[in-house]
Amino acid sequence: MNADTASLLEMRKFVAPEFVFGAGVIELAGQYAINYNARKILLVTDPGVKRAGLTGTVEQSLKKAGIPYVVFDCVTPNPKDYEVMEGVQVYRQEQCDVIVAVGGGSPMDCAKGIGISSTNAMHVLTFEGVDQVPVPGPPLIFIPTTAGTAADISQFDIITDTVRKVKIAIVSKLVIPDVSLLDPCTTITMDQHLTAATGMDALTHAVEAYVSNASSPVTDLFALDAIRLIRKHLLDAVEQPTNMAARESMMLASLFAGLAFSNASLGMVHAMAHSLGGLLDLPHGECNAILLEHVVEFNFNAAAQRYVDVARALGLNPEALAGGGEKSNLVQAISDMRESAGIRPRLRELNLQREDIPALAENAFNDPCLATNPRVASVKDIRECYERAY
Amino acid sequence: MSELTDHDNIRLLRQKIIGLGERSMSKSYYPELRRRLDQLEAQKKDLEERTRALQKLTEDLEEERRKARESEANYRSVIDNIQDVFYRSDARGNLIMASPSFLTLLGYGSLDECLGKPIAETLYFYPEKRAALLRQIKEKGSVTNYEVVLKSRDGIPVTVETNSHLYFDDAGNFAGVEGTFRDVTERKRAEGALEESRRELETLLRNLPGMAYRCRNDREWTMAFVSEGCHALTGYTPDDLMDNRRVSYNEIIHPEDRETVWNQVQEALERRAHFRLNYRIVTAEGEVRWVWEQGAGVHSPAGELVFLKVLSPTSPSASGPKVLSNSISNDLSPCSNSTRWQTRPFRTSWLSVLKKRCG
């Protein structure tokens, strides 16, 4: 009874949604709607996804299943609180009982908010924080069409509070969708830039989950494999948009990274990116891509062995990982990958003003993602990091 | 200190983010389902209780209704079976209810022919007379045995007596008049006939050349009735003789005939036969007159013996009182008429009328 438990693993939990992976699974949307006994579907999407024809594919599936639906597409990147509440109104008016989301992170995060706000009859901003959702929302059927966000896997729902101009994080197992239908074919509709940004987003998820102070053997498996897949396939996916093998691998990488970060959480990169998205509505994937190398530099010594593992997964050879050059080599490798993917290196190119940085740092400091960052960061640390990325 | 607190907070936040907070669990509808089921269960119990209460209420109501129906049936049968007519009018004077006896009284086939129609115009033989009735009802609150002439369906007058009064609704407002009609046509007719007979009899008695009387079987022949002819025959008025006020009939009989008259009458009474006598009386003026008398004993239903007598003056030449006949059958035969006046038809009718009156 007095056994020494200090050396044993800490308590860890792993929660994941049911998911179906493979070409053509988008067609299962109707079947799942039937299985959930849906009477009316709220189909959440955005104009870009509609244009790409993916919303139509889902609609066909629902029609075939004979389930009525109403499309809600008033969703913009970095989804806003009022967009969520508009969706709630449509959901109620149309007496929907199941939500299908098709698209990238924005429609999916918006759909999560609509679901919990509807059943709880509460404003979406009231759920800010961890485990603040009293009652689960309706069944969520998610069909991701970008390979990176993993909102279809994660327990995070990031919504922009348009009054405070910050992104709030709703962290709850109750926002994990009931099923994720991962169809790699949908991702070929992404252009080069979006492919690159979402790919770098997935890489950031994997790296931050792996170096998270809450990582676990289970999340490690997914994190490292995600990194390996991204290293091997990101550039192919960017350069050859119709390379289905690359597309499939990137979607798998996004799934793995999602499984890892949803359970191990993230770190300072996401804290800083959320702040940028909230204050300046900057594109999430790009922000992550730009910030990652700077945060690795800041964090490295606090989790050196972990970062070496990351470097190895990124294919750095043993020589590069010896003799004290590990950190700079890793930073360089990430930077190179970003460059190769075609993402600009500086935040200033995303229309960030230098004078915004102190406020950005303050907001990032309050982001829950910082809680699992391997190194404790002060507001000043964060500000300096923004400065370096500027 | 604050650094440490921040650190603790961050540690706690981290625990929660990675799903180790107390409230962290995978999406499950069960807790909410359980909560709602409990609510439903409570609602169901509440509903059951209410249903039971409602059932009880319904049963009570049904019992009340049953009693009301019973009571209504009782009243209905009273209304249905009374021979008098019960009627009710609304505040405007329209008939709104009548017992079935109404149909018999006024010869209607169905109440529908009259319900809702103004009572005065429809049912009164003299519609204008209803106002007087209403005035009395309003003054006194009711009328009793008030005579009204109604009109049958065929327009024939039907005399009724009504007991009527005002009635009021639950709020105490004047609601109309209700009461009964009793058919008195037959009684009125009988009364009329009786009155006519009485008048006829009086006329006959007044014009009779002689006197008719009824008296007790006592020595004074105490008179209970004496006709007008008494004065012409005896010089005394009927009042003088009634109850022996001024003089008894025995005193008018000639003293020498008194015993004979008594004996012969008593003898006839024993045989229950008619008696016919000739004897003398002494008038008020002192004149001695011969009279002829015929009569019979009449027994009242109570067994009391009274006399019915017809007395007529007769010829002074007749000699002494004697019994003329022993039986009524002889008396009534056309050949046995030995009197000088053709009085038999009168006598016969008188007898019947007076008997009827005595009865």
Side-chain angles (χ1 to χ4, degrees):
Chain A
M1 291 316 272
N2 292 320
D4 178 15
T5 58
S7 61
L8 298 184
L9 288 169
E10 275 185 80
M11 246 192 256
R12 286 291 183 270
K13 184 189 290 199
F14 190 90
V15 181
E18 174 180 346
F19 59 79
V20 189
F21 187 97
V25 298
I26 191 171
E27 309 282 353
L28 297 180
Q31 185 54 52
Y32 269 90
I34 290 172
N35 291 350
Y36 284 118
N37 203 13
R39 281 179 304 207
K40 188 155 190 182
I41 299 276
L42 182 72
L43 178 54
V44 183
T45 185
D46 68 30
V49 179
K50 267 174 101 174
R51 268 196 306 280
L54 296 171
T55 311
T57 309
V58 175
E59 288 181 58
Q60 284 307 315
S61 173
L62 294 176
K63 276 180 192 158
K64 214 171 124 189
I67 298 193
Y69 61 90
V70 54
V71 175
F72 178 73
D73 66 353
C74 304
V75 184
T76 57
N78 300 315
K80 320 292 187 286
D81 45 12
Y82 59 84
E83 292 167 354
V84 173
M85 298 320 287
E86 279 170 29
V88 169
Q89 212 171 359
V90 176
Y91 180 90
R92 285 197 192 138
Q93 262 171 13
E94 300 287 334
Q95 296 183 302
C96 300
D97 57 356
V98 169
I99 297 176
V100 175
V102 55
S106 302
M108 290 194 283
D109 274 359
C110 189
K112 287 176 174 181
I114 292 170
I116 54 176
S117 292
S118 296
T119 48
N120 289 283
M122 287 160 71
H123 193 279
V124 67
L125 295 178
T126 56
F127 302 116
E128 179 178 5
V130 187
D131 294 335
Q132 298 300 312
V133 182
V135 176
L140 300 177
I141 302 169
F142 280 10
I143 302 148
T145 61
T146 62
T149 172
D152 53 304
I153 300 297
S154 82
Q155 60 160 335
F156 295 90
D157 182 19
I158 310 297
I159 299 293
T160 299
D161 176 340
T162 50
V163 175
R164 283 156 62 211
K165 290 199 168 183
V166 294
K167 276 186 162 183
I168 63 144
I170 297 165
V171 186
S172 169
K173 309 294 178 207
L174 303 188
V175 299
I176 297 174
D178 296 79
V179 64
S180 176
L181 304 176
L182 300 114
D183 190 338
C185 302
T186 61
T187 61
I188 64 166
T189 57
M190 287 192 291
D191 62 20
Q192 277 197 336
H193 183 71
L194 191 56
T195 306
T198 53
M200 287 304 290
D201 189 18
L203 177 66
T204 309
H205 290 154
V207 172
E208 290 215 278
Y210 188 74
V211 301
S212 159
N213 60 27
S215 64
S216 75
V218 182
T219 57
D220 287 348
L221 288 175
F222 290 112
L224 287 178
D225 224 40
I227 296 169
R228 286 185 203 108
L229 284 168
I230 293 164
R231 193 256 304 173
K232 276 168 79 176
H233 300 286
L234 174 61
L235 295 184
D236 283 349
V238 172
E239 286 158 11
Q240 309 154 34
T242 55
N243 182 332
M244 282 316 296
R247 291 293 193 186
E248 184 180 63
S249 295
M250 281 310 294
M251 182 141 247
L252 210 50
S254 169
L255 167 63
F256 289 174
L259 291 168
F261 89 78
S262 179
N263 291 285
S265 193
L266 296 158
M268 188 164 149
V269 181
H270 272 78
M272 292 173 73
H274 288 159
S275 182
L276 284 166
L279 191 67
L280 303 166
D281 204 13
L282 300 185
H284 178 67
E286 264 182 275
C287 291
N288 276 343
I290 295 166
L291 290 167
L292 180 59
E293 55 208 76
H294 299 286
V295 172
V296 168
E297 198 163 351
F298 173 77
N299 277 347
F300 192 90
N301 292 334
Q305 188 50 52
R306 289 258 141 193
Y307 278 111
V308 169
D309 292 343
V310 170
R312 208 174 282 127
L314 278 175
L316 269 68
N317 55 40
E319 298 85 62
L321 298 176
E326 303 94 332
K327 179 167 138 185
S328 56
N329 284 334
L330 174 58
V331 170
Q332 191 57 52
I334 294 170
S335 181
D336 287 347
M337 188 180 275
R338 174 185 54 70
E339 284 288 345
S340 314
I343 293 175
R344 292 161 291 186
R346 294 283 156 203
L347 289 176
R348 68 168 72 111
E349 288 166 274
L350 299 177
N351 289 328
L352 172 67
Q353 307 301 309
R354 189 180 280 271
E355 54 267 33
D356 289 329
I357 289 176
L360 287 170
E362 284 289 340
N363 290 347
F365 181 75
N366 291 317
D367 192 284
C369 288
L370 211 55
T372 46
N373 194 56
R375 181 178 169 186
V376 176
S378 66
V379 178
K380 179 169 163 284
D381 295 332
I382 298 169
R383 196 165 56 230
E384 284 169 3
C385 207
Y386 273 126
E387 293 287 353
R388 280 194 293 277
Y390 183 76
Chain B
M1 258 330 262
S2 140
E3 192 88 348
L4 193 67
T5 309
D6 275 354
H7 186 73
D8 285 348
N9 284 342
I10 289 169
R11 198 179 55 77
L12 280 172
L13 180 64
R14 171 184 170 277
Q15 288 294 96
K16 284 164 73 182
I17 290 171
I18 62 173
L20 299 176
E22 284 175 6
R23 294 172 56 186
S24 172
M25 66 175 284
S26 305
K27 186 171 180 176
S28 166
Y29 297 116
Y30 188 77
E32 181 64 8
L33 189 68
R34 187 67 261 167
R35 199 175 66 77
R36 301 268 177 111
L37 281 174
D38 288 347
Q39 271 180 3
L40 275 177
E41 199 63 37
Q43 280 173 9
K44 191 183 145 207
K45 269 189 193 151
D46 184 53
L47 210 63
E48 277 168 358
E49 260 162 46
R50 287 189 198 197
T51 307
R52 268 196 298 279
L54 207 64
Q55 259 168 6
K56 175 84 175 58
L57 213 64
T58 311
E59 279 163 20
D60 290 351
L61 205 66
E62 197 46 54
E63 177 64 16
E64 288 296 316
R65 277 190 188 147
R66 198 187 56 71
K67 283 183 186 164
R69 270 198 302 272
E70 222 168 64
S71 157
E72 196 197 324
N74 280 338
Y75 283 115
R76 171 57 59 191
S77 84
V78 168
I79 291 286
D80 283 353
N81 296 314
I82 54 169
Q83 290 179 322
D84 289 359
V85 174
F86 176 82
Y87 79 98
R88 180 178 280 178
S89 78
D90 63 15
R92 285 169 303 168
N94 297 322
L95 183 70
I96 54 171
M97 180 185 171
S99 61
S101 47
F102 173 89
L103 303 177
T104 322
L105 179 70
L106 296 181
Y108 282 95
S110 149
L111 281 175
D112 294 339
E113 294 180 57
C114 300
L115 287 180
K117 292 188 178 162
I119 287 184
E121 283 75 8
T122 314
L123 304 180
Y124 271 51
F125 197 75
Y126 308 106
E128 66 281 3
K129 289 198 174 174
R130 189 160 193 264
L133 169 75
L134 291 177
R135 211 163 34 244
Q136 264 204 45
I137 292 178
K138 277 174 185 166
E139 275 167 20
K140 302 177 184 172
S142 67
V143 293
T144 306
N145 296 333
Y146 186 100
E147 196 173 299
V148 168
V149 183
L150 297 181
K151 182 175 65 180
S152 78
R153 189 186 183 204
D154 302 328
I156 295 161
V158 177
T159 307
V160 297
E161 273 178 4
T162 177
N163 294 338
S164 295
H165 60 261
L166 305 178
Y167 76 94
F168 302 89
D169 64 18
D170 293 341
N173 301 314
F174 167 65
V177 173
E178 64 182 9
T180 56
F181 292 134
R182 168 167 292 173
D183 186 2
V184 293
T185 310
E186 192 56 36
R187 200 187 82 202
K188 293 297 278 185
R189 209 181 55 71
E191 276 176 10
L194 203 60
E195 179 62 22
E196 202 176 309
S197 314
R198 197 184 57 77
R199 271 200 306 274
E200 203 174 285
L201 185 65
E202 262 177 17
T203 310
L204 283 168
L205 285 171
R206 204 176 295 119
N207 297 324
L208 184 72
M211 74 178 256
Y213 67 82
R214 195 178 63 184
C215 69
R216 296 189 181 284
N217 184 29
D218 59 21
R219 280 290 186 163
E220 301 303 320
W221 308 113
T222 305
M223 290 293 162
F225 171 79
V226 184
S227 74
E228 290 289 325
C230 172
H231 190 251
L233 188 66
T234 66
Y236 294 99
T237 66
D239 259 11
D240 293 339
L241 275 166
M242 287 290 281
D243 294 322
N244 309 322
R245 269 174 212 149
R246 194 176 148 201
V247 64
S248 74
Y249 187 73
N250 196 46
E251 287 169 306
I252 296 175
I253 298 173
H254 193 281
E256 290 175 10
D257 292 344
R258 283 175 193 165
E259 198 58 25
T260 314
V261 168
W262 174 257
N263 290 337
Q264 289 192 353
V265 169
Q266 298 311 311
E267 189 224 350
L269 285 178
E270 252 172 54
R271 290 188 291 115
R272 297 224 167 192
H274 278 84
F275 50 86
R276 290 179 185 177
L277 308 170
N278 283 307
Y279 57 90
R280 290 161 294 174
I281 61 168
V282 182
T283 67
E285 291 80 30
E287 181 195 347
V288 174
R289 298 181 83 170
W290 280 95
V291 297
W292 172 85
E293 176 176 346
Q294 170 176 306
V298 175
H299 295 265
S300 74
E304 190 194 2
L305 180 71
V306 294
F307 282 132
L308 172 69
K309 292 186 175 180
V310 176
L311 194 63
S312 297
T314 187
S315 147
S317 60
S319 57
K322 58 176 180 180
V323 175
L324 294 179
S325 168
N326 289 336
S327 75
I328 194 159
S329 57
N330 289 343
D331 177 43
L332 291 179
S333 68
C335 329
S336 70
N337 183 9
S338 58
T339 59
R340 286 154 62 188
W341 296 283
Q342 295 294 316
T343 54
R344 189 182 295 143
F346 293 123
R347 211 183 303 151
T348 311
S349 74
W350 285 23
L351 280 168
S352 69
V353 169
L354 289 172
K355 269 181 185 166
K356 199 173 175 184
R357 286 198 83 171
C358 289

